Amino acid sequence: MSGKKGEYSRREFMKTAGAAGLGSALVSLGSLKQAHGSNSTQVPEQMMVPTRPFGKTGVDVSILSLGGVLKPSDQLIFRQAFKMGVTYWDTADSYGWGKNEKAIGKYFARFPNDREKVFLVTKAATSDPNKLTEKLNESLQRMNTSYVDMYFIHYVSDVKKELTDDVKAWAEKAKAKGKIRFFGFSTHKNMENSMLAGAKLGWIDGIMMSYNYRLMLKDKMKRAVDACVKAGIGLTAMKTQAAFTANFYSSIGSETDDAVKLTENFLKKGYTAEQAKLKVVWENPNIASICSAISNMTILQANVAAALSKQKLSGGDKQRLKQYAQQTAPGYCAGCASICESTVDLDIPISDVLRYSMYHHSYGDRETALTLFNALPADVRTNILKADYSKAEKYCPQKIQIGKVLKKAYEDLT
Ligand code: SF4
């Protein structure tokens, strides 16, 4: 306790509130055991994570997807996820520098019969058809499988340049050989433009995009989702927690009256703000699945409980999330790089660097942030300190202090 007698500090409140919320999630999962007998390892069907159709593929996928953060030693989490119906597994050749794919390969070596029940997705960070075959073969080998259900080109931001007729021909050939069932891309910046352009191509089966309680409010994102649905493209939401770009923004997200009210409101209903952020995305039936970075059993249980919950968010709940999104907008980069990057004279991938800063400060993953930042050409990195961001800050719809965050990212990651 701190401050006045009998009054928690905000930080103490948030800690207590978080624990209570997860507790309620665990209680929900406790009913799994009750429903099926305490010694059973089978999970009854009504306690399995539901599924939704994935675009026009004809495949139903679990609405919660196991995101690629696990290591080969995390086999229990794969096993438990599978048993609870989390059978959409997402990875990439770059996650953990191949370790996440190896972790999946270790699982399939032990449980080969589970392979055909998993919707397995991996990605390659290249759109060069001459490199894709080798990349895919390496991924298949690491994952102990002869095929993937979905193959994504990773980090697409310019569909015209990256999804060429040669890539289409490569995808068709890989499908004909039985190495991939479906093909698409993931997109972290200029998502809406990429989705709108992808919907016009006619040969994209799936798209994985940043999508959350902030981005889903934007008219352009609504149009992009509609266009993809009309084109029969399956959609997977990622970055659904909409983490902050830098730690000096964290105070606006965790200790304000708004954050406390938001947390209190959801806890009264039996779930955490984090679970509410998942639920609001699932309330859009056009989103087939949410890819979540599930790094431990507690997060798995909390997210599964949210997926099983039949309780709808009220209009007031959604309004509170909307207000929170508006109040904390300057802490979140919406990926609309075409707005800010063209206003700076020097070549600087602003939204990418803000994302690396987010990995560092919000995810606590300095290694990934360091690797990605230092993969930028040296002159691009030094340009960060020289550029004038006044116009970019003026036009940024989130009103981010772009210069300040980029300078901090440079200092942290150099
Ligand atoms: S910094 Fe602002 S304008 Fe640039 S991508 Fe992020 S939100 Fe969009």
Side-chain angles (χ1 to χ4, degrees):
M1 288 255 189
S2 62
K4 286 184 210 159
K5 199 178 172 199
E7 190 178 281
Y8 278 113
S9 74
R10 283 176 172 157
R11 189 178 293 278
E12 284 162 344
F13 169 79
M14 297 303 288
K15 275 188 197 163
T16 310
L22 284 175
S24 69
L26 295 175
V27 169
S28 298
L29 279 180
S31 57
L32 287 175
K33 235 176 164 186
Q34 268 182 358
H36 208 68
S38 59
N39 293 325
S40 176
T41 55
Q42 284 293 116
V43 174
E45 203 168 314
Q46 69 272 24
M47 292 298 189
M48 299 283 276
V49 166
T51 59
R52 284 185 185 172
F54 193 80
K56 63 179 179 198
T57 60
V59 176
D60 287 350
V61 296
S62 58
I63 65 169
L64 178 64
S65 157
L66 186 66
V69 289
L70 299 175
K71 304 178 292 300
S73 57
D74 292 320
Q75 295 300 303
L76 268 179
I77 300 175
F78 285 107
R79 189 73 192 131
Q80 199 55 37
F82 182 86
K83 283 184 180 177
M84 294 193 288
V86 183
T87 51
Y88 176 159
W89 292 4
D90 175 89
T91 184
D93 60 353
S94 58
Y95 292 170
W97 291 269
K99 280 194 198 127
N100 187 250
E101 287 187 335
K102 281 187 184 163
I104 290 171
K106 189 174 171 184
Y107 181 88
F108 287 140
R110 180 146 182 223
F111 300 102
N113 293 339
D114 288 356
R115 170 62 193 94
E116 63 181 28
K117 295 171 196 147
V118 169
F119 187 79
L120 184 61
V121 179
T122 194
K123 318 179 193 78
T126 179
S127 53
D128 180 347
N130 298 317
K131 293 183 182 161
L132 282 171
T133 302
E134 191 186 344
K135 288 259 178 204
L136 174 60
N137 287 341
E138 286 169 356
S139 289
L140 294 177
Q141 197 176 18
R142 280 192 287 265
M143 293 192 290
N144 240 318
T145 184
S146 60
Y147 72 99
V148 288
D149 295 276
M150 174 68 75
Y151 201 51
F152 281 149
I153 304 293
H154 210 171
Y155 303 120
V156 165
S157 63
D158 186 334
V159 162
K160 212 171 168 188
K161 270 193 202 157
E162 296 168 77
L163 292 164
T164 58
D165 287 346
D166 288 344
V167 172
K168 180 186 176 193
W170 181 89
E172 282 169 356
K173 210 166 150 189
K175 282 182 183 178
K177 284 186 173 176
K179 290 191 168 185
I180 66 172
R181 292 176 70 199
F182 307 110
F183 185 83
F185 62 89
S186 69
T187 174
H188 302 64
K189 71 174 185 180
N190 297 326
M191 296 84 67
E192 297 90 341
N193 292 347
S194 296
M195 291 163 75
L196 288 163
K200 286 185 187 156
L201 287 179
W203 51 276
I204 298 298
D205 302 305
I207 296 177
M208 178 182 187
M209 73 287 172
S210 304
Y211 187 86
N212 50 51
Y213 65 98
R214 301 174 188 274
L215 295 168
M216 67 193 293
L217 301 174
K218 296 181 183 287
D219 288 341
K220 195 169 179 185
M221 179 56 90
K222 289 178 188 167
R223 285 203 306 279
V225 168
D226 285 348
C228 288
V229 170
K230 273 192 194 129
I233 294 172
L235 294 175
T236 304
M238 64 173 158
K239 310 277 186 280
T240 49
Q241 295 297 314
F244 289 110
T245 50
N247 62 355
F248 53 79
Y249 283 125
S250 63
S251 62
I252 64 170
S254 63
E255 296 188 12
T256 61
D257 288 338
D258 302 316
V260 170
K261 272 189 217 151
L262 188 78
T263 304
E264 277 179 331
N265 172 71
F266 290 126
L267 286 176
K268 269 186 219 153
K269 300 189 170 186
Y271 39 84
T272 62
E274 287 74 20
Q275 289 172 314
K277 290 171 189 173
L278 297 176
K279 287 164 77 67
V280 76
V281 170
W282 279 317
E283 287 201 6
N284 181 348
N286 293 322
I287 303 301
S289 190
I290 290 177
C291 181
S292 173
I294 296 171
S295 55
N296 58 52
M297 206 64 88
T298 307
I299 296 175
L300 174 65
Q301 287 184 319
N303 290 0
V304 167
L308 291 174
S309 163
K310 299 267 189 291
Q311 194 177 346
K312 296 263 179 227
L313 294 179
S314 68
D317 292 337
K318 287 180 201 161
Q319 188 57 28
R320 277 182 199 95
L321 274 175
K322 187 176 174 180
Q323 270 171 8
Y324 179 73
Q326 286 162 350
Q327 284 153 350
T328 58
Y332 178 74
C333 175
C336 38
S338 56
I339 296 177
C340 58
E341 292 176 7
S342 59
T343 67
V344 177
D345 291 338
L346 300 168
D347 176 23
I348 300 167
I350 294 174
S351 88
D352 289 330
V353 178
L354 294 184
R355 183 160 48 83
Y356 307 158
S357 178
M358 177 187 75
Y359 292 151
H360 180 204
H361 291 293
S362 287
Y363 293 15
D365 187 356
R366 187 160 189 267
E367 197 186 351
T368 298
L370 265 177
T371 306
L372 291 168
F373 183 77
N374 288 292
L376 295 172
D379 58 326
V380 170
R381 277 179 276 143
T382 49
N383 280 346
I384 286 174
L385 296 182
K386 296 181 195 160
D388 174 5
Y389 301 102
S390 51
K391 272 194 201 158
E393 291 181 354
K394 184 176 165 195
Y395 294 118
C396 172
Q398 301 289 106
K399 298 294 165 219
I400 295 175
Q401 298 173 65
I402 296 171
K404 187 176 169 186
V405 185
L406 290 182
K407 186 165 176 267
K408 182 80 171 76
Y410 182 90
E411 286 165 3
D412 290 341
L413 303 174
T414 299

